[in-house]
Amino acid sequence: MKFKNLSRWTIAPELDGLLFCAQRLDELIWDFTLDTHKPMSLNAPYLCKEALTVIKNIEDELIDAANLKPVLEELIWSVQNDPIAKALLDLPIERYVRLDDDAKLSERKRRLSALSNTLGSFRYLNECFDHLSANVKAVEKKKIDATVRTMVTTLINMGVSKKSLQAKTNAFFFASGPPITKVDQIDEFLKTLYPYVHECDVYFVVSDLIKTVEESSEAFGVSVIEELPEDVAALQAKTPGFECGADECYVELVNVRAKDVFSAQEKAARTLDRLSDLYTLFHHQRKITWRDTALVKQCCLPKPVAAVLTKGAMEKPYDFRTDKASKELNRLIRNFAIKGSSKARFDRVADLHGICVSSDVVDNQLVTLWTSLETLIPSTAHGTKIVNVLSQITPFLMLAYIQRLVQRFTHDLITWKPWYVKRLLNKVPGIEGTNTIYKAMALLTVPNNDDLRSELYTELKDFHLLRYRAFQLSQLLSSPASLRAALDSHLKKVEWQIRRIYRTRNMLVHSGQSPSYIHTLVENAHDYFDQIIFDVMRMSCGEYRASTLDDVFELVKLRHVKFTSTLADISEFNVKNCAFLCEDLDTLYDFENEFWGMKSKSDAS
């Protein structure tokens, strides 16, 4: 979350809703936003489509019928908590889908089809626009938050690129341009988001190996050309990374139908991927390759634009700084206690993660990430595979959840105004040292710090999103009961998402089907993997000195039981009893080589 320049804005109370909407939208589509604050992978319309897909796969005997229940659970929950979906329904959700329905699968499918038509993508999107416009004008921040999040989920699943949403949001609200003076400008902005289908021509610089399969490439709509069209050549002269070398040539893919230039580039690159992969079935020594930069002509734009390919979801997590990464690697090598077959599994998992990072094919990334998780966790002969995966993975994710929220909030605060935040946190009573996350946790949690929270709200002024996040977290942490409710809700959502990742992996392997939301699944799977693998390293390098992966997973389960028990025993938070929420997540302690007392000093840093 970053505070962007508001020089174009008229700062007035009636524009508070519009400014909050712009800041929240900017956060939603930023690659490095915490997963909790990103768009969900699916909302009610697309959960309904997913349920129909699951039924088809059950009918085709690709998956077991037990897979349907969690999908329907999530669909019902989603509709019940979605004012937009409920506004579109002709009857209560129970008339369309029920968990205790003993009707034939064909009958359930028929009712789900009716629900899918009722919650059609464009019908739902138009309702989102109506609700968002009204909520912005009424300055209903909680409703704006929910509506803009589900709107972005809808647009992404309809094929709109996040890059396109980023470009439009930045251009309309934050880059140089006309002043923003009226709340009605929300309607002008929403018109720019409507997902029209465009005809695009996409140009790449490709290795000249493609000339050897020129006849085959035409079947893919790929043409080798000697010269670029005049308007594309004019852009090429201004675009670093698009120069054609001695062993390269230009290729053109015409009439690529897509929602924006970035989606067109990705679609065209997937076509080149298929062509290249088929070629390697017959020739293993060299592969058809292409530059990351593409030039794209869109039917309704006056000029072509440049677009750059990325590794996608695998590039998006926060990384350690290079100096800290090298320090942690040295500690890992010096202290890693895992031995034998567990060490071989750990090394294999590290190899698989490296393959994921180097791959640019999102389908392969998901399959490899799931294989990494399966390799890492202890196997069992009892129960189904997915039940075992859930029981092993969720303790890691639940232990980290609250601290990750407060950790990111603290980071956002310090990024906004470091010196003010340092002074504010130093006012939090009852905490010695400089542990900023612990102080931020106490600031948000302890009732006696209400005056400090009010001071922070006042100082945040036009940073409406960060003030909203502070208030939102303070409400979540206001009591042990509200925190337990939030954890229960998070556990349910995590289990649904892990099941979805597993189903998608099976679809890719057994039927080759790739859903529209696969990028989000890779982001989530990668995030889950990173949390678990780092905890594995901590439990082996730290004071527990766990020597097998089975020991690590058992210890984390016990620590989660302790966490739950500690929370259950607290009736009201104070500066002392909230400390257990602040365990350090980002350091591999060297208990064999750091003298007594050094850990507590490093805690404070």
Side-chain angles (χ1 to χ4, degrees):
M1 184 194 303
K2 292 184 179 180
F3 184 71
K4 290 196 169 180
N5 189 300
L6 302 180
S7 58
R8 291 172 50 206
W9 287 74
T10 297
I11 304 302
E14 59 269 22
L15 266 68
D16 285 356
L18 182 60
L19 180 52
F20 173 75
C21 178
Q23 291 174 343
R24 180 68 177 111
L25 185 58
D26 183 63
E27 179 188 43
L28 279 164
I29 54 184
W30 189 45
D31 286 342
F32 300 102
T33 295
L34 192 68
D35 52 356
T36 300
H37 307 314
K38 284 183 178 180
M40 52 277 208
S41 56
L42 298 177
N43 55 8
Y46 287 92
L47 284 166
C48 197
K49 292 177 185 293
E50 183 189 34
L52 288 168
T53 300
V54 168
I55 288 177
K56 184 179 185 305
N57 288 333
I58 292 170
E59 291 174 336
D60 294 342
E61 299 183 352
L62 292 174
I63 59 175
D64 188 82
N67 284 279
L68 183 58
K69 183 179 178 181
V71 178
L72 297 182
E73 285 178 347
E74 187 176 3
L75 172 58
I76 293 169
W77 176 88
S78 179
V79 172
Q80 289 173 340
N81 290 275
D82 184 349
I84 294 167
K86 287 195 285 190
L88 293 174
L89 294 187
D90 299 304
L91 293 169
I93 183 62
E94 294 79 12
R95 297 296 299 270
Y96 298 91
V97 55
R98 296 197 316 272
L99 291 178
D100 60 352
D101 195 343
D102 57 0
K104 291 181 179 179
L105 199 59
S106 58
E107 174 62 20
R108 302 176 81 178
K109 181 179 179 180
R110 187 176 63 81
R111 289 201 299 268
L112 278 168
S113 294
L115 178 61
S116 183
N117 291 331
T118 303
L119 300 176
S121 303
F122 282 97
R123 189 169 188 244
Y124 185 88
L125 182 64
N126 285 331
E127 192 73 15
C128 281
F129 286 175
D130 289 342
H131 278 239
L132 186 57
S133 176
N135 293 334
V136 164
K137 292 167 186 175
V139 197
E140 296 275 3
K141 291 184 181 178
K142 189 172 182 179
K143 292 180 179 179
I144 293 170
D145 181 17
T147 306
V148 76
R149 188 172 186 230
T150 194
M151 179 190 76
V152 172
T153 295
T154 305
L155 288 167
I156 290 172
N157 277 284
M158 293 175 83
V160 177
S161 165
K162 265 190 180 182
K163 282 188 177 181
S164 174
L165 293 174
Q166 283 176 327
K168 290 178 179 179
T169 299
N170 192 59
F172 194 93
F173 292 116
F174 302 114
S176 59
I180 297 175
T181 58
K182 301 180 297 181
V183 70
D184 289 346
Q185 285 175 271
I186 183 63
D187 299 329
E188 298 173 29
F189 173 68
L190 293 176
K191 290 176 183 176
T192 70
L193 299 185
Y194 202 78
Y196 296 103
V197 177
H198 304 282
E199 297 280 351
C200 300
D201 298 339
V202 187
Y203 300 86
F204 289 95
V205 175
V206 181
S207 58
D208 61 6
L209 188 62
I210 197 171
K211 291 181 178 179
T212 64
V213 292
E214 193 167 351
E215 182 179 345
S216 301
S217 65
E218 290 178 0
F220 289 82
V222 178
S223 302
V224 177
I225 57 175
E226 294 298 324
E227 294 184 355
L228 297 169
E230 185 177 346
D231 53 349
V232 178
L235 176 62
Q236 182 263 345
K238 306 173 186 176
T239 306
F242 202 81
E243 305 85 5
C244 194
D247 56 350
E248 295 174 314
C249 61
Y250 297 118
V251 302
E252 174 188 53
L253 292 87
V254 299
N255 299 327
V256 178
R257 292 173 60 82
K259 300 292 172 61
D260 54 73
V261 294
F262 303 104
S263 300
Q265 175 212 29
E266 184 178 349
K267 190 174 181 179
R270 286 201 302 269
T271 300
L272 290 178
D273 265 323
R274 290 195 298 272
L275 176 60
S276 177
D277 290 342
L278 284 173
Y279 180 69
T280 57
L281 293 176
F282 303 96
H283 181 79
H284 295 75
Q285 296 178 3
R286 294 176 63 197
K287 187 175 182 180
I288 298 170
T289 59
W290 52 93
R291 301 280 188 93
D292 289 339
T293 302
L295 305 184
V296 186
K297 291 175 63 175
Q298 183 175 301
C299 55
C300 55
L301 294 181
K303 296 179 180 179
V305 297
V308 180
L309 288 169
T310 70
K311 295 290 183 186
M314 293 302 297
E315 283 190 333
K316 293 177 182 177
Y318 265 109
D319 275 336
F320 287 137
R321 300 186 311 272
T322 53
D323 57 338
K324 184 170 183 178
S326 61
K327 184 185 296 185
E328 297 301 311
L329 176 59
N330 289 336
R331 284 181 170 179
L332 175 68
I333 294 171
R334 191 167 59 240
N335 296 289
F336 199 50
I338 289 179
K339 307 295 182 186
S341 61
S342 287
K343 178 63 163 55
R345 281 163 56 198
F346 181 88
D347 290 344
R348 178 60 180 150
V349 166
D351 290 342
L352 290 168
H353 179 261
I355 292 170
C356 276
V357 171
S358 62
S359 173
D360 57 2
V361 181
V362 68
D363 296 9
N364 295 348
Q365 289 172 346
L366 186 75
V367 172
T368 308
L369 278 169
W370 184 264
T371 304
S372 302
L373 288 171
E374 275 200 60
T375 304
L376 192 62
I377 67 174
S379 59
T380 178
H382 308 292
T384 62
K385 181 182 294 184
I386 185 60
V387 170
N388 179 51
V389 169
L390 289 171
S391 69
Q392 301 287 356
I393 286 178
T394 51
F396 289 85
L397 306 180
M398 296 305 295
L399 279 170
Y401 176 58
I402 297 302
Q403 167 131 353
R404 278 162 53 85
L405 291 179
V406 177
Q407 197 173 39
R408 180 57 61 87
F409 170 74
T410 308
H411 175 273
D412 292 338
L413 274 181
I414 292 171
T415 302
W416 163 64
K417 273 189 181 180
W419 293 110
Y420 168 76
V421 172
K422 182 179 179 180
R423 288 195 301 271
L424 178 73
L425 293 179
N426 283 338
K427 296 179 185 178
V428 176
I431 301 178
E432 296 181 0
T434 58
N435 189 324
T436 54
I437 297 174
Y438 182 14
K439 290 184 176 184
M441 185 77 75
L443 172 68
L444 294 167
T445 304
V446 178
N448 291 343
N449 291 328
D450 189 55
D451 288 344
L452 289 177
R453 289 194 293 273
S454 296
E455 178 189 332
L456 174 62
Y457 298 153
T458 302
E459 184 67 24
L460 282 162
K461 298 178 183 176
D462 301 319
F463 204 166
H464 295 278
L465 178 59
L466 191 53
R467 181 166 59 245
Y468 175 81
R469 187 63 38 74
F471 181 78
Q472 188 183 47
L473 280 173
S474 180
Q475 291 292 106
L476 185 150
L477 297 166
S478 61
S479 71
S482 64
L483 179 51
R484 285 193 294 270
L487 288 168
D488 289 343
S489 177
H490 181 64
L491 175 61
K492 183 164 56 177
K493 293 175 185 177
V494 165
E495 288 182 340
W496 284 335
Q497 192 71 337
I498 293 172
R499 286 179 180 275
R500 178 170 295 112
I501 293 168
Y502 180 53
R503 285 195 306 272
T504 304
R505 176 265 179 199
N506 290 342
M507 284 169 55
L508 289 167
V509 170
H510 298 298
S511 67
Q513 299 175 35
S514 178
S516 60
Y517 47 87
I518 191 167
H519 289 85
T520 306
L521 295 187
V522 171
E523 288 181 25
N524 291 152
H526 191 194
D527 189 57
Y528 298 158
F529 173 86
D530 283 352
Q531 290 182 61
I532 294 166
I533 198 70
F534 198 86
D535 244 1
V536 167
M537 292 186 285
R538 285 204 317 139
M539 299 300 286
S540 178
C541 294
E543 56 189 320
Y544 286 97
R545 306 295 295 166
S547 60
T548 71
L549 288 174
D550 287 17
D551 287 347
V552 170
F553 279 81
E554 188 62 29
L555 283 166
V556 171
K557 283 183 181 180
L558 294 173
R559 286 163 62 83
H560 182 239
V561 171
K562 178 186 176 183
F563 177 93
T564 305
S565 175
T566 302
L567 183 59
D569 290 340
I570 298 173
S571 58
E572 183 180 72
F573 285 124
N574 58 48
V575 72
K576 298 298 182 184
N577 64 23
C578 74
F580 81 103
L581 298 171
C582 303
E583 182 181 0
D584 190 355
L585 297 179
D586 289 337
T587 306
L588 301 180
Y589 291 121
D590 190 349
F591 277 87
E592 292 197 346
N593 296 295
E594 293 175 355
F595 59 82
W596 178 81
M598 192 169 178
K599 175 179 181 292
S600 60
K601 291 178 183 178
S602 62
D603 271 345
S605 62

